[in-house]
Amino acid sequence: MMAEPPTIVLKARPEAIKEVRDWVGLILGSWGLESFVVRTVATELATNAIKHGSQPGDPIVVRVYLRDGRPVVEAWDRSDEPPVVRAPDEFSESGRGLLLMTRLVVRWGTRALNEGGKVVWAECEAEPAH
């Protein structure tokens, strides 16, 4: 039987973003892996789950696990709307995070949850910690 991957459930609020980033760093550190890129990706996924996929106080779920030796981060939220990678706009003050994330990861995607909502996941390269 496979063990459940490390999971954290937080309320959708801005303070949760730092908690997710720190938590992912701890998990990757325990696996002997560098965490900068994965923490950056987790920050983007959590930010989108909070800002675009949730109402204040809704639960968001973040999981991290290894797939074929590569770290994968997932963020679950209640919205059925898929994430949209926007074209860069030099005048916008936001909206570049997902575009940046796509450049940092091996691959990413989304899937619907049976109970409603979605999971957005991203697979990163594994880098040994120094």
Side-chain angles (χ1 to χ4, degrees):
M1 186 166 155
M2 196 167 124
E4 281 293 312
T7 304
I8 189 170
V9 180
L10 299 163
K11 290 191 185 295
R13 54 187 177 76
E15 299 82 21
I17 296 165
K18 180 182 182 320
E19 293 176 56
V20 166
R21 185 172 50 245
D22 292 347
W23 177 79
V24 167
L26 287 171
I27 300 297
L28 266 73
S30 75
W31 295 339
L33 296 174
E34 175 56 53
S35 66
F36 179 76
V37 169
V38 183
R39 284 181 301 139
T40 301
V41 168
T43 297
E44 177 60 20
L45 295 181
T47 298
N48 284 348
I50 291 167
K51 286 177 72 174
H52 305 295
S54 305
Q55 298 298 317
D58 279 354
I60 62 160
V61 177
V62 177
R63 300 189 333 164
V64 62
Y65 55 91
L66 296 174
R67 178 190 297 153
D68 299 325
R70 289 184 176 140
V72 177
V73 179
E74 294 183 345
W76 304 18
D77 65 50
R78 295 195 175 203
S79 172
D80 295 325
E81 293 297 315
V84 176
V85 179
R86 297 187 189 142
D89 173 356
E90 61 186 85
F91 301 108
S92 293
E93 293 185 17
S94 65
R96 295 178 189 86
L98 203 53
L99 179 63
L100 171 65
M101 188 202 76
T102 65
R103 306 250 163 90
L104 293 175
V105 303
V106 175
R107 62 181 166 233
W108 72 282
T110 184
R111 69 178 185 275
L113 291 167
N114 291 338
E115 61 273 16
K118 68 178 172 305
V119 176
V120 181
W121 58 269
E123 183 177 324
C124 303
E125 286 292 349
E127 298 179 41
H130 303 293

